[in-house]
Amino acid sequence: MGEARRRAAQGLPPREAKSNKSKDTSPRIVPWLPLTQNQTRQFVAVTTRGAWIGIGGLVLFWITVRFIGPAAGWWDLADMP
């Protein structure tokens, strides 16, 4: 016999579902928009981190193109005689 049938036969209420996530109870920014203040803070944090990763990648790319590539003899710069 399944758990649900056993509980129904004994007159017990259905078992409550387990919830691993805690519900976000922070207030909404605008009542008609389903975005909370915690979600906006998390969005800003993730996009800021992504922007810094992009800036770092761009710097590494520039250093490679400007200094490492010509020094290794992979290519010659167009502005160098």
Side-chain angles (χ1 to χ4, degrees), residues 55-77:
I55 291 169
L58 182 64
V59 167
L60 287 174
F61 177 74
W62 181 77
I63 289 173
T64 301
V65 168
R66 184 70 175 102
F67 299 109
I68 297 174
W74 296 338
W75 56 77
D76 293 326
L77 294 176

Side-chain angles (χ1 to χ4, degrees), residues 17-73:
K18 293 180 183 178
S19 177
N20 293 339
K21 285 183 149 183
S22 60
K23 188 174 179 182
D24 187 7
T25 58
S26 65
R28 289 185 172 191
I29 297 173
V30 182
W32 50 267
L33 189 65
L35 291 175
T36 62
Q37 289 180 352
N38 287 342
Q39 289 173 330
T40 57
R41 285 190 200 107
Q42 185 180 12
F43 175 77
V44 169
V46 168
T47 54
T48 302
R49 180 173 291 140
W52 281 111
I53 290 171
I55 291 169
L58 182 64
V59 167
L60 287 174
F61 177 74
W62 181 77
I63 289 173
T64 301
V65 168
R66 184 70 175 102
F67 299 109
I68 297 174

